[in-house]
Amino acid sequence: MPAFSSQPSAPIAVFDSGLGGLTVVRALMRRLPREKLIYFGDTARVPYGSKSPRTVLQFARQCLHFLTQFNPKLIVVACNTVSATALESLHHDFAIPVIGVLEPGAAAAVAAAARTPAGQPRRIGLIATEATIASQAYNQAVTRLDATIQVIGRACPLLVPMIEEGRLPDSPIVRSVLQEYLQPFKSLQIPVLILGCTHYPIFSQAIEETLGLPTALIDSADQTALVVAEKLATMHIANDAGTPLADGLTCYVTDQGQRFESLAGRFLGRLITQPVWVEPERLENPTVEK
Ligand code: DGL
């Protein structure tokens, strides 16, 4: 079992199947501006959301193993699909503290449901990948917090490819796909909707407009950053000395090409240039040298 660094100066590693996890990086940078961050996006093998739990776990193990070479003090699994299907196994495999986005997202949704006016339905909507919906992991996490709330989930497999393709929220095709996916939530007048996929916050405004109702949209990024901050404080490994870092982020990706650079800005809110390319073969067989 790989060991981990307990030094405050060690980096936090963030893993996602692709680009979407940069929304979590953005929240971490805001809350923890002195922490060094290593981002790893498995852009050659995205999407994970349409793959089987077995494949997702295998890929996630390889990616986390890759990240251990940086001796991180903590790993954030920014991918909902991995958090929903593989987190428990990853906790067993790695001694490093691993935090997923699902529990923080569920907690934020239950808190938002508690703020809705009395008389509103005790229901939370969930949109996510096929694998996340099939896992029922959000339903279980919400039930653990409040057994009176029902989670109604809908897989939205077309959203990730549209976002990865750079489609803008105003595009007619995006609007028409959202109309179809969100119709059941409109009819049920769901007061809270979990955006259970790293990519969906990019379409937040379009989702709000399509619903046309006062619905609280839950994006787990901020809540996850809060959980990370609390964990670092509890373990006494927060890097809270010195001035905030101007650029403490290094990105690694498995697909070569311009897509990461051209799309990353939409997720992170600023440009990223020159991510480091990691050959996928190195992940599958760690003994292969670059
Ligand atoms: N990162 C994935 C998630 O949050 C979305 C992309 C994928 O399907 O791999 O579920």
Side-chain angles (χ1 to χ4, degrees):
M1 195 184 260
F4 72 99
S5 172
S6 54
Q7 296 301 317
S9 59
I12 296 173
V14 182
F15 157 58
D16 183 40
S17 57
L19 291 165
L22 288 169
T23 51
V24 177
V25 167
R26 188 180 193 171
L28 286 169
M29 283 174 146
R30 256 190 246 127
R31 189 169 284 275
L32 300 163
R34 293 174 183 81
E35 299 291 349
K36 269 184 259 142
L37 301 173
I38 308 271
Y39 184 78
F40 184 76
D42 193 4
T43 49
R45 302 188 293 189
V46 69
Y48 283 15
S50 50
K51 296 186 170 72
S52 70
R54 188 176 183 278
T55 303
V56 171
L57 175 59
Q58 185 192 348
F59 287 176
R61 274 195 180 124
Q62 292 168 355
C63 295
L64 262 61
H65 193 265
F66 172 82
L67 283 167
T68 57
Q69 70 181 287
F70 302 107
N71 290 322
K73 55 187 175 185
L74 186 141
I75 297 181
V76 181
V77 171
C79 177
N80 283 265
T81 301
V82 175
S83 300
T85 61
L87 203 66
E88 231 177 277
S89 303
L90 297 175
H91 281 311
H92 284 123
D93 296 344
F94 295 87
I96 305 172
V98 179
I99 291 181
V101 287
L102 192 138
E103 298 277 346
V110 170
R115 288 192 298 269
T116 56
Q120 289 260 36
R122 304 283 297 153
R123 293 191 198 111
I124 288 177
L126 165 69
I127 52 174
T129 64
E130 288 166 283
T132 299
I133 295 292
S135 74
Q136 297 272 313
Y138 266 106
N139 309 54
Q140 290 156 9
V142 167
T143 303
R144 277 195 294 276
L145 296 168
D146 185 337
T148 68
I149 298 179
Q150 185 193 9
V151 176
I152 297 170
R154 169 124 209 214
C156 302
L158 289 173
L159 296 187
V160 168
M162 286 195 307
I163 293 168
E164 295 266 335
E165 205 197 294
R167 295 275 171 167
L168 295 173
D170 284 340
S171 127
I173 197 162
V174 170
R175 293 293 172 146
S176 122
V177 167
L178 286 177
Q179 274 296 345
E180 182 178 323
Y181 284 150
L182 299 176
Q183 188 51 49
F185 302 117
K186 283 172 83 165
S187 321
L188 290 167
Q189 307 209 333
I190 296 270
V192 179
L193 180 69
I194 301 174
L195 307 182
C197 171
T198 47
H199 287 57
Y200 300 171
I202 297 289
F203 283 167
S204 285
Q205 200 184 329
I207 291 170
E208 243 165 32
E209 287 166 9
T210 306
L211 287 168
L213 299 161
T215 310
L217 297 189
I218 306 300
D219 151 11
S220 46
D222 286 333
Q223 188 68 18
T224 303
L226 175 67
V227 170
V228 170
E230 286 170 356
K231 183 82 179 171
L232 295 180
T234 315
M235 295 178 71
H236 306 289
I237 51 172
N239 193 5
D240 33 30
T243 47
L245 300 173
D247 193 5
L249 173 66
T250 313
C251 293
Y252 294 81
V253 290
T254 50
D255 190 31
Q256 247 178 341
Q258 299 304 311
R259 187 174 283 253
F260 184 87
E261 288 179 45
S262 61
L263 283 180
R266 285 181 71 195
F267 291 94
L268 193 61
R270 68 170 174 82
L271 285 179
I272 292 185
T273 49
Q274 296 181 333
V276 182
W277 178 54
V278 180
E279 290 168 71
E281 294 74 21
R282 263 182 83 197
L283 300 178
E284 284 153 21
N285 180 3
T287 53
V288 172
E289 286 303 318
K290 208 181 155 213

